[in-house]
Amino acid sequence: MAFSDLAGKPAPSSILVDVGKLVDAYYSGVPDPGIPGQRVSFGTSGHRGSSFQLSFNEAHILAISQAICDHRKARHVTGPLFLGMDTHALSRPAFQTALEVFCGNGVQVIIQKGFEVTPTPVISRAILSYNRARTEALADGVVVTPSHNPPEDGGFKYNPPHGGPAETEVTRSIEQTANLILKQGNRAVRRIKWEEALRSPNTIQQDLLGPYVRDLELVLDMKAIVSSGIRIGVDPLGGATLPLWGLICETYGLQVQVVNQSLDPTFGFMHLDHDGKIRMDCSSPYAMAGLIRLKERFDIAFGNDPDGDRHGVVDPKGGLLNPNRYLAAAAWYLFQNRPAWSSKAMVGKTVVTSSMLDRVASSLGRGLAEVAVGFKWFVEGLLGGSLGFGGEESAGASFLCMEGTPWTTDKDGVILGLLAAEMMARTGKSPHENYMQIESLLGRSFYERIDTPVDPEKKEKLGKLSSERVKPRQLGGEVVLCVLDRAPVKNAPIGGIKVVAPNGWFAARPSGTEDIYKLYAESFIGPEHLKKIQQEALLIIQEALESHQGE
């Protein structure tokens, strides 16, 4: 992983994006669908790109929006579409484009009143609330966001009627249709003018934030947090959760101080990430340096990314908690403090998330659901209640309501932040202290992710590695228990390989956006053992790729 001398320092004005030029490029840029990098491409969280790179322009959003309308028609989704957006500079232009297309296709669209920003979990919750007790005319949604990506990026993701990220077959279909529309010059797009969309009876402005805030007491012990008098610090990182906090304080009377109320599309108030770029990653100690420096002012503090689906928890004793550690503490706490949850409700994690969650689940007598990378794999379990909690190492998670009903089927960084306050209120210990207790009982984890450059050819081969190709007998001095190229749940491809031993493992997966591969590794023996696993993993991967060089 590349590190910059500027990591953790305030962003200099010289690197701030020119918002005017960025938006102009959104409208004027003409992508070439014959170039792979300029096509519509849905990753694990929708289509992302930049107007400067001709990968996120109005042409893309026209095509994607029309493809979603075609998908809705084919799947008989006839209810309203909830449309939200975050605070990235390209989000509002793309929101307007999408609304023009949705209204042009006769789709009823529900948006936050005043055309204000709307976090991802608010949209997911709105979809589930609308569809509750309905069997037809179901709602779905779109959130215009590139998540924690840099200010020059845009993003666009679709949530079907189950409220969570769309399944692979759905995104593949939308992607293929959108690229065909794009290739044909967007002639198939049905669109009305912005002024007509504003006046259209299909554009419905509602308060979406209020119902979400009022329902928080269904998923969290808000009374315990209030009565404890815990001082809470919040940094929305210039994102869509900012409007929520005034409502939350007004509704519940929490002692919350929002340390940064800036809404600046350049995100010039940010501290630079590890590579010297502006990135609103609330799990990064560099990007979160501003809040970390204020940790002594609060009993607990946390931040969210621009669309509010990720969390970063800071406490005075532990600083910014590594996401894996907080996920373990959250699961440990929740399954001992939600008596109405089914005794069969399981702990959910992705294949690259810490195995401390495996140990937590086993210790509590709960089943473990290990899924492929992507929150979409938790949707069915959270919706049906077979999962009490689902979390991924990139600081995304959600969990059931107190009574065991679904809260959201997409990630919710707001409730994960407030859960840290509930944990303190009811246990008298910070999340860091709760995690240290877990380690004292279940062993100490040493976990690290390394990003390694790789050429496109080897990157493609890495994503196709199978357990038939990779057959090490030992890892870190221990007998290999299994080699996985598919997740235990749903038998879904993991897009790489995972090798597991009794006290350690590694997984290697190619990045979806860069010419790198991600090496995840964990040891429950010690840091030297972790290094040994990492060294052996690099050799195993290198041998596997070189042995198939001619394929």
Side-chain angles (χ1 to χ4, degrees), residues 53-67:
Q53 304 300 322
L54 294 177
S55 52
F56 193 92
N57 302 84
E58 185 178 48
H60 295 105
I61 305 309
L62 289 170
I64 296 170
S65 300
Q66 185 60 54

Side-chain angles (χ1 to χ4, degrees), residues 124-355:
S124 179
R125 179 69 184 168
I127 294 169
L128 294 185
S129 297
Y130 183 91
N131 290 340
R132 189 183 302 121
R134 282 186 168 90
T135 57
E136 56 185 19
L138 300 179
D140 55 2
V142 164
V143 185
V144 186
T145 173
S147 188
H148 61 286
N149 277 28
E152 62 269 23
D153 283 5
F156 202 89
K157 60 183 181 180
Y158 173 65
N159 287 31
H162 56 52
E167 299 87 340
T168 302
E169 59 270 22
V170 172
T171 55
R172 184 183 297 121
S173 173
I174 292 172
E175 176 185 303
Q176 291 173 347
T177 302
N179 278 320
L180 179 60
I181 293 171
L182 190 65
K183 185 178 180 180
Q184 296 173 343
N186 282 336
R187 291 190 297 273
V189 174
R190 293 183 290 278
R191 175 190 193 184
I192 62 175
K193 294 180 179 180
W194 174 243
E195 293 75 15
E196 294 177 57
L198 290 178
R199 297 192 301 269
S200 171
N202 284 324
T203 300
I204 300 173
Q205 298 189 48
Q206 286 186 3
D207 176 19
L208 302 178
L209 303 184
Y212 173 90
V213 169
R214 291 190 292 273
D215 282 352
L216 284 172
E217 63 182 4
L218 302 178
V219 72
L220 295 157
D221 190 343
M222 299 299 287
K223 291 181 180 179
I225 300 173
V226 173
S227 62
S228 70
I230 288 173
R231 297 167 301 156
I232 302 170
V234 174
D235 189 347
L237 298 182
T241 60
L242 177 60
L244 285 175
W245 290 105
L247 290 172
I248 290 173
C249 292
E250 180 183 325
T251 303
Y252 297 104
L254 297 185
Q255 293 191 41
V256 173
Q257 180 183 343
V258 178
V259 302
N260 172 23
Q261 300 200 33
S262 300
L263 285 177
D264 171 12
T266 71
F267 293 89
F269 50 80
M270 286 294 301
H271 291 74
L272 300 180
D273 204 1
H274 64 89
D275 55 0
K277 293 183 179 181
I278 297 176
R279 189 179 289 111
M280 290 64 70
D281 183 354
C282 48
S283 67
S284 165
Y286 306 101
M288 288 279 281
L291 185 59
I292 293 171
R293 278 204 281 269
L294 300 176
K295 65 181 182 179
E296 302 296 337
R297 296 187 186 179
F298 307 104
D299 298 310
I300 197 72
F302 51 88
N304 298 118
D305 64 340
D307 72 312
D309 68 347
R310 298 173 190 256
H311 60 273
V313 175
V314 177
D315 76 35
K317 296 181 180 179
L320 177 66
L321 271 72
N322 176 281
N324 280 305
R325 292 187 169 198
Y326 183 58
L327 293 178
W332 177 264
Y333 171 80
L334 283 167
F335 282 94
Q336 296 182 85
N337 289 275
R338 295 297 188 266
W341 284 8
S342 167
S343 60
K344 295 180 180 179
M346 296 185 290
V347 177
K349 54 163 275 191
T350 64
V351 292
V352 296
T353 302
S354 171
S355 288

Side-chain angles (χ1 to χ4, degrees), residues 324-325 328 347 349-363 368 370 393 435 438 442-447 498-506 521-524:
N324 280 305
R325 292 187 169 198
V347 177
K349 54 163 275 191
T350 64
V351 292
V352 296
T353 302
S354 171
S355 288
M356 184 62 84
L357 278 168
D358 305 45
R359 298 187 176 203
V360 165
S362 177
S363 175
L368 180 80
E370 186 172 6
E393 58 84 32
Y435 180 76
I438 294 170
L442 304 181
R444 188 175 179 187
S445 163
F446 300 85
Y447 179 105
K498 181 176 182 179
V499 179
V500 183
N503 288 289
W505 60 271
F506 81 83
E522 184 173 31
S523 166
F524 282 89

Side-chain angles (χ1 to χ4, degrees), residues 358-385:
D358 305 45
R359 298 187 176 203
V360 165
S362 177
S363 175
L364 297 176
R366 294 284 179 166
L368 180 80
E370 186 172 6
V371 305
V373 175
F375 207 79
K376 60 189 173 186
W377 300 108
F378 294 127
V379 170
E380 183 179 335
L382 290 170
L383 195 60

Side-chain angles (χ1 to χ4, degrees), residues 367-432:
L368 180 80
E370 186 172 6
V371 305
V373 175
F375 207 79
K376 60 189 173 186
W377 300 108
F378 294 127
V379 170
E380 183 179 335
L382 290 170
L383 195 60
S386 63
L387 288 181
F389 170 91
E392 51 188 13
E393 58 84 32
S394 55
S398 190
F399 51 89
L400 298 178
C401 290
M402 306 278 274
E403 297 302 316
T405 54
W407 169 250
T408 62
T409 45
D410 211 331
K411 302 182 289 286
D412 189 336
V414 175
I415 65 166
L416 265 296
L418 288 170
L419 180 68
E422 180 191 323
M423 195 184 300
M424 288 193 71
R426 294 184 60 171
T427 69
K429 299 176 182 178
S430 72
H432 171 72

Side-chain angles (χ1 to χ4, degrees), residues 68 90 118 123 234 247 302 306 339 383 472 478:
I68 289 173
L90 292 176
T118 319
I123 294 296
V234 174
L247 290 172
F302 51 88
L383 195 60
E478 297 184 305

